[in-house]
Amino acid sequence: QVQVAESGGGLVQAGESLRLTCAVSRCAASGCARAWFRTVPGKRREWVAGLNWSDGRTWHDISVLGRFFISRDTSSNAVYLQMTRLQPEDTGLYVCAATDRPSCGDCMDDWMFKYWGKGIQVTVST
């Protein structure tokens, strides 16, 4: 089955940038659509951004629009989340989710994703 692993998190100051990487293994040649979610203790998991592998279309939550950018590298099968102008409210556990299909609609619904990584912590200090 598809395996998902995140990397690139850490501790940064407000205004700085980070890039997260979502790597998958055992994905079909047609590719695995993916999305990023984040969780904060005491809050519901929230969707951040999604990407259709089939055509490269992307979607971003309004809270990160213009600051975060999801993209892909077809040569490495990786999906990235470039996060700029980070704010303390962006702090959370960022989790990559994948489906074994190349498309995920608008990639916003967590029920569409069968495979989840363990998540990686992003902490933004003031």
Side-chain angles (χ1 to χ4, degrees):
Q1 64 179 30
V2 174
Q3 294 181 329
V4 182
E6 305 93 343
S7 61
L11 171 64
V12 296
Q13 293 186 327
E16 294 184 338
S17 300
L18 272 177
R19 189 178 79 162
L20 305 182
T21 299
C22 176
V24 297
S25 60
R26 301 175 185 167
C27 200
S30 56
C32 293
R34 265 160 275 184
W36 286 98
F37 294 81
R38 66 185 176 193
T39 60
V40 177
K43 290 188 177 181
R44 191 175 177 179
R45 178 170 62 198
E46 60 178 0
W47 173 78
V48 177
L51 181 144
N52 258 349
W53 194 265
S54 58
D55 57 12
R57 289 185 69 189
T58 62
W59 295 265
H60 299 80
D61 184 75
I62 194 170
S63 66
V64 304
L65 197 61
R67 298 190 300 122
F68 291 13
F69 306 93
I70 190 171
S71 64
R72 63 176 177 169
D73 182 342
T74 55
S75 62
S76 65
N77 209 21
V79 165
Y80 304 106
L81 185 67
Q82 180 68 49
M83 305 184 293
T84 67
R85 292 185 281 141
L86 282 159
Q87 299 301 316
E89 54 266 32
D90 295 318
T91 293
L93 185 71
Y94 284 71
V95 184
C96 181
T99 174
D100 50 11
R101 299 183 178 188
S103 298
C104 51
D106 58 11
C107 305
M108 294 177 62
D109 298 307
D110 55 8
W111 59 264
M112 302 193 72
F113 300 96
K114 187 175 180 181
Y115 307 101
W116 294 76
K118 294 181 179 180
I120 193 158
Q121 182 67 30
V122 171
T123 303
V124 185
S125 63
T126 57

